[in-house]
C-alpha cells in the first residue's frame, strides 16, 4: 500500500508537496479504511481523489510518481544522465536537486524510501523500516564527489562478511542508478538473508504500483483475454457498465497479413528480435492492437481483440475497437485494473479518470471499486474534473485533495479537504468548492477585448 508520497522541486512543485493515504480523524465510510493488523501499525485509505484547475499540478503529481517509479525499477544505461525535473521558474530551484519520498506498506511491514536527483546523477538515497514510534536505517547512500558515495546502516544483525559485501556492492553502483535497483539486479537479497525484504520493496514498485495516463493503454488486455476466466469477467464488466458491448472476443488473424502491412525495415527488425515463448504487441491504429505469440519453435500466431454486439436477428457481430467510442475504449483500459484490484492487492493511479466518460459512469466506476474491494488492500488514486464525485456520501474528507497554482510564481500547491475547518458530514462540499472555499478552481485573469481581436 501507498501511505504517503511527497516531492519537492519537481516541475510545477517548487516547495514540498505531500499526499497522504494515512487515515485521518474522520470516522465516516469506515469501510474505506484498511486497518492496521498491529497496534504499532498504520491504517491506510483505499481511495484518493485529486481535483484542480487545468495546469494546476494534478498531472505533475502523477508524473512525479511515475518518474520516481521509472528510476527505481529501470536501470539507466552507462553514461546516461538522469533527466532534470527541477522547477524552472526560480533561478535557485533550477540548480537544486529534486526530492522524492515514499512511505509504503509491504506485507506486514512499513518502509520509507527516498532519493534525490539533479545534474544527471543521484545525490542521496535511503531506505528505512518504520513503525508508529520507531525507525531504523537499512542504508543511506550520499554522494561525496564524482563517482564516490558514503554509506551508512543501522543493520546491526549483519555479520562482518555480509556488511562487507553490502558496502562492496555500494561501491560499484553508477551515479545515475539507485542502489535499490542494483540490490535486486545483483541478487543481494538472495545472498544476504537479512536483506530479503529489499526484494519485496522493489517488487512493490515494479509489480504493485500501476499508473494509467489519459492516453495510456493497458498492456496485458490482449494476453489476459486469451484466458476464459478473464474473457468472461471483462466481458461481464464492460457490459454491466452500459457500453452496449455484449462481450469481448479474441480473433485469430493472419500473421502474414500483419507483417505485409509493416514497413520493410520495421518488419525485418521485428523478425530479428522474435524469440521462442515470447509475446509481442503491435499497434495497428489508435485502439487496434495485435498480439503475436511465438511458440516453442518461434512459430508465430496472431490475435486481435474485438467487441461483440448483437444485431436485430439476435446474431453476434464483431466490431473493431476503432469502431467503439473513446469512452468504451477508456473503460477497456480501466476495467482490468478494477478486476485486478479485487483479485490482488495493487495500488492504481489514474490520471484524468473521467476522460471520455459520462459523470454517471465515472461515479458508477468509483462506487463499484469501493464496493468490490471492501475486503482487499487495493488502492485507487485518481485525478479528475468530475465534480459529482466530490460528495461526502461517496468518499471521506481525507480522501479529497486539491491542487492550486500560484498565479504570480507558477508554483503548484497540494492540500487536503481535512485542512479546512467546519467541514462536517452534511456539508455540501461541491457547493462550497464552486463558491471557491477550497480553492483549486480555474482563474480567468480578464475578459478578451473583442475589438483587439477583430483588428
Amino acid at each position: 500500500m501507498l501511505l504517503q508520497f511527497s516531492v519537492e522541486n519537481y516541475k510545477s512543485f517548487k516547495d514540498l508537496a505531500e499526499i497522504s493515504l494515512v487515515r485521518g480523524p474522520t470516522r465516516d465510510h469506515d469501510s474505506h479504511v484498511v486497518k492496521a493488523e498491529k497496534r504499532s501499525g498504520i491504517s491506510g485509505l483505499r481511495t484518493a481523489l485529486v481535483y484542480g484547475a487545468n495546469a494546476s499540478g494534478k498531472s505533475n503529481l502523477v508524473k512525479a510518481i511515475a518518474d520516481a517509479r521509472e528510476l527505481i525499477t529501470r536501470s539507466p544505461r552507462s553514461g546516461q544522465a538522469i533527466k532534470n525535473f527541477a522547477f524552472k521558474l526560480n533561478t535557485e530551484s533550477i540548480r537544486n536537486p529534486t526530492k522524492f519520498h515514499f512511505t509504503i506498506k509491504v506485507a506486514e511491514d512499513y518502509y520509507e524510501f527516498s532519493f534525490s536527483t539533479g545534474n544527471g546523477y543521484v545525490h542521496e538515497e535511503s531506505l528505512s523500516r518504520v513503525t508508529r514510534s520507531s525507525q531504523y536505517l537499512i542504508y543511506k547512500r550520499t554522494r561525496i564527489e564524482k563517482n564516490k558515495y558514503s554509506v551508512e546502516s543501522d543493520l546491526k544483525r549483519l555479520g562482518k562478511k555480509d556488511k562487507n559485501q553490502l558496502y562492496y556492492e555500494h561501491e560499484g553502483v553508477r551515479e545515475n542508478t539507485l542502489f535499490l535497483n542494483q540490490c535486486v539486479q545483483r541478487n543481494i537479497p538472495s545472498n544476504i538473508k537479512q536483506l530479503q525484504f529489499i526484494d519485496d520493496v522493489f517488487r512493490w514498485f515494479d509489480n504493485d504500483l500501476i499508473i494509467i495516463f489519459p492516453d495510456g493503454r493497458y498492456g496485458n488486455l490482449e494476453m489476459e483475454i486469451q484466458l476464459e476466466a478473464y474473457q468472461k469477467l471483462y466481458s461481464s464488466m464492460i457490459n454491466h457498465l452500459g457500453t452496449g458491448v455484449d462481450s469481448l472476443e479474441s480473433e485469430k488473424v493472419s500473421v502474414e497479413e500483419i507483417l505485409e502491412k509493416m514497413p520493410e525495415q520495421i518488419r525485418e527488425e521485428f523478425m530479428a528480435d522474435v524469440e521462442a515463448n515470447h509475446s509481442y504487441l503491435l499497434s495497428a491504429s489508435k485502439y487496434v492492437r495485435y498480439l503475436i505469440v511465438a511458440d516453442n519453435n518461434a512459430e508465430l500466431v496472431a490475435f486481435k481483440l474485438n467487441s461483440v454486439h448483437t444485431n436485430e436477428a439476435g446474431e453476434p457481430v464483431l466490431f473493431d475497437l476503432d469502431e467503439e467510442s473513446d469512452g468504451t475504449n477508456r473503460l477497456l483500459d480501466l476495467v482490468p485494473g478494477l478486476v485486478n484490484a479485487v483479485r490482488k492487492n495493487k495500488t492504481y493511479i489514474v490520471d484524468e479518470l473521467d476522460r471520455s466518460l459520462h459523470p454517471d459512469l465515472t461515479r458508477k466506476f468509483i462506487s463499484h471499486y469501493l464496493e468490490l474491494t471492501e475486503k482487499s488492500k487495493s488502492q485507487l488514486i485518481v485525478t479528475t474534473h468530475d465534480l459529482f464525485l466530490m460528495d461526502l456520501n461517496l468518499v471521506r474528507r481525507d480522501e479529497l485533495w486539491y491542487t492550486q497554482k500560484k498565479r504570480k510564481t507558477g508554483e503548484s500547491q497540494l492540500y487536503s479537504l481535512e485542512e479546512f475547518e467546519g467541514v462536517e458530514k452534511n456539508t455540501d462540499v461541491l457547493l462550497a468548492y464552486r463558491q471557491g472555499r477550497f480553492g483549486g478552481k480555474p482563474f480567468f485573469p480578464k475578459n478578451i477585448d473583442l475589438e483587439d481581436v477583430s483588428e
Side-chain angles (χ1 to χ4, degrees):
M1 288 187 68
L2 177 65
L3 294 172
Q4 177 269 348
F5 170 75
S6 66
V7 66
E8 182 177 352
N9 195 25
Y10 176 91
K11 295 189 175 181
S12 62
F13 291 104
K14 174 180 175 288
D15 298 324
L16 184 71
E18 177 181 320
I19 185 169
S20 173
L21 280 91
V22 176
R23 181 182 65 183
T26 181
R27 291 297 177 263
D28 300 335
H29 300 296
D30 198 48
S31 63
H32 296 194
V33 179
V34 178
K35 295 180 174 62
E37 295 86 355
K38 304 175 183 177
R39 183 172 297 179
S40 61
I42 303 169
S43 296
L45 299 174
R46 295 194 288 118
T47 311
L49 278 62
V50 184
Y51 285 90
N54 290 329
S56 64
K58 299 188 307 300
S59 291
N60 279 344
L61 177 66
V62 177
K63 289 174 184 176
I65 298 173
D67 283 332
R69 180 185 182 275
E70 180 73 13
L71 288 169
I72 293 166
T73 59
R74 304 290 177 262
S75 178
R77 298 188 303 273
S78 177
Q80 180 183 3
I82 295 176
K83 184 180 177 181
N84 184 16
F85 303 112
F87 180 75
K88 293 183 177 181
L89 300 181
N90 181 278
T91 54
E92 183 178 350
S93 296
I94 201 168
R95 295 193 297 268
N96 291 335
T98 298
K99 300 178 181 179
F100 304 91
H101 182 99
F102 291 88
T103 303
I104 63 175
K105 181 182 180 184
V106 182
E108 304 305 320
D109 296 309
Y110 303 85
Y111 300 92
E112 289 186 358
F113 181 67
S114 62
F115 64 95
S116 60
T117 66
N119 298 315
Y121 53 79
V122 176
H123 285 248
E124 190 172 271
E125 173 190 1
S126 67
L127 175 64
S128 299
R129 183 177 281 175
V130 297
T131 66
R132 275 183 172 273
S133 57
S134 65
Q135 175 176 339
Y136 77 84
L137 183 69
I138 298 166
Y139 71 82
K140 183 177 181 180
R141 174 185 176 223
T142 306
R143 188 177 189 268
I144 302 173
E145 57 186 50
K146 186 175 182 180
N147 295 318
K148 187 173 182 181
Y149 289 79
S150 65
V151 180
E152 303 174 50
S153 177
D154 290 340
L155 285 175
K156 298 177 181 178
R157 292 177 298 171
L158 284 182
K160 183 177 181 180
K161 180 181 177 182
D162 289 340
K163 277 190 175 181
N164 287 340
Q165 181 180 351
L166 183 65
Y167 292 158
Y168 171 77
E169 296 291 354
H170 264 290
E171 290 286 334
V173 179
R174 298 193 303 266
E175 286 191 317
N176 65 348
T177 304
L178 293 171
F179 182 62
L180 182 66
N181 177 284
Q182 291 302 286
C183 277
V184 176
Q185 302 305 323
R186 300 179 185 188
N187 292 318
I188 292 176
S190 300
N191 297 328
I192 303 177
K193 291 183 178 180
Q194 289 88 341
L195 297 182
Q196 287 180 348
F197 57 82
I198 289 181
D199 188 70
D200 296 332
V201 172
F202 177 87
R203 299 301 171 197
W204 183 86
F205 284 103
D206 198 30
N207 298 328
D208 296 342
L209 177 60
I210 299 165
I211 302 169
I212 303 174
F213 286 102
D215 295 320
R217 302 296 312 279
Y218 182 70
N220 290 333
L221 183 59
E222 281 82 0
M223 178 65 75
E224 291 175 350
I225 213 75
Q226 304 298 319
L227 303 175
E228 184 178 0
Y230 274 102
Q231 188 269 337
K232 290 182 177 179
L233 202 54
Y234 291 166
S235 295
S236 174
M237 191 69 72
I238 287 291
N239 178 263
H240 182 69
L241 289 170
T243 60
V245 174
D246 293 317
S247 63
L248 300 170
E249 181 178 304
S250 183
E251 176 190 11
K252 189 173 181 180
V253 294
S254 168
V255 176
E256 290 73 19
E257 290 184 12
I258 298 173
L259 296 177
E260 285 177 4
K261 296 176 182 178
M262 291 183 180
E264 183 177 355
Q265 183 178 349
I266 295 177
R267 180 171 63 248
E268 291 176 355
E269 290 174 356
F270 170 75
M271 293 303 297
D273 291 336
V274 169
E275 298 180 32
N277 299 315
H278 279 65
S279 59
Y280 307 87
L281 272 179
L282 299 178
S283 294
S285 61
K286 184 177 181 180
Y287 293 124
V288 173
R289 297 184 301 194
Y290 294 108
L291 171 67
I292 299 182
V293 181
D295 64 15
N296 294 333
N297 300 315
E299 295 292 329
L300 301 178
V301 182
F303 302 90
K304 184 181 72 169
L305 180 62
N306 297 308
S307 57
V308 182
H309 294 254
T310 303
N311 66 14
E312 58 185 11
E315 301 166 333
V317 179
L318 296 183
F319 280 62
D320 279 346
L321 294 186
D322 277 344
E323 298 178 273
E324 297 291 351
S325 70
D326 288 342
T328 297
N329 278 285
R330 178 64 166 163
L331 285 172
L332 287 174
D333 297 322
L334 297 176
V335 162
L338 180 60
V339 171
N340 286 321
V342 179
R343 299 163 68 96
K344 306 169 186 176
N345 295 325
K346 304 284 186 181
T347 296
Y348 285 90
I349 301 177
V350 183
D351 192 18
E352 296 187 22
L353 171 70
D354 50 314
R355 185 185 70 79
S356 301
L357 299 182
H358 188 278
D360 287 348
L361 184 52
T362 308
R363 186 180 178 103
K364 192 173 186 66
F365 185 89
I366 290 289
S367 60
H368 259 27
Y369 159 78
L370 290 169
E371 178 184 353
L372 293 172
T373 61
E374 187 171 333
K375 296 182 180 180
S376 81
K377 297 177 182 178
S378 290
Q379 295 174 295
L380 179 64
I381 303 164
V382 306
T383 70
T384 180
H385 291 289
D386 190 336
L387 301 183
F388 293 103
L389 300 177
M390 202 183 300
D391 181 353
L392 295 184
N393 291 313
L394 177 67
V395 294
R396 295 162 52 100
R397 294 194 296 274
D398 49 10
E399 294 175 321
L400 289 172
W401 291 79
Y402 303 92
T403 56
Q404 181 161 295
K405 183 173 284 187
K406 295 181 180 179
R407 296 195 296 272
K408 291 184 178 180
T409 62
E411 302 171 42
S412 293
Q413 298 173 298
L414 174 67
Y415 49 91
S416 169
L417 181 62
E418 282 279 66
E419 298 178 27
F420 294 87
E421 295 181 358
V423 180
E424 305 295 338
K425 184 176 182 180
N426 60 350
T427 299
D428 188 337
V429 290
L430 174 55
L431 176 62
Y433 173 78
R434 292 177 70 91
Q435 292 172 342
R437 182 177 168 188
F438 308 135
K441 290 184 62 181
F443 171 77
F444 307 102
K446 64 178 181 178
N447 292 328
I448 296 174
D449 190 330
L450 296 180
E451 291 184 2
D452 291 342
V453 175
S454 62
E455 291 177 0

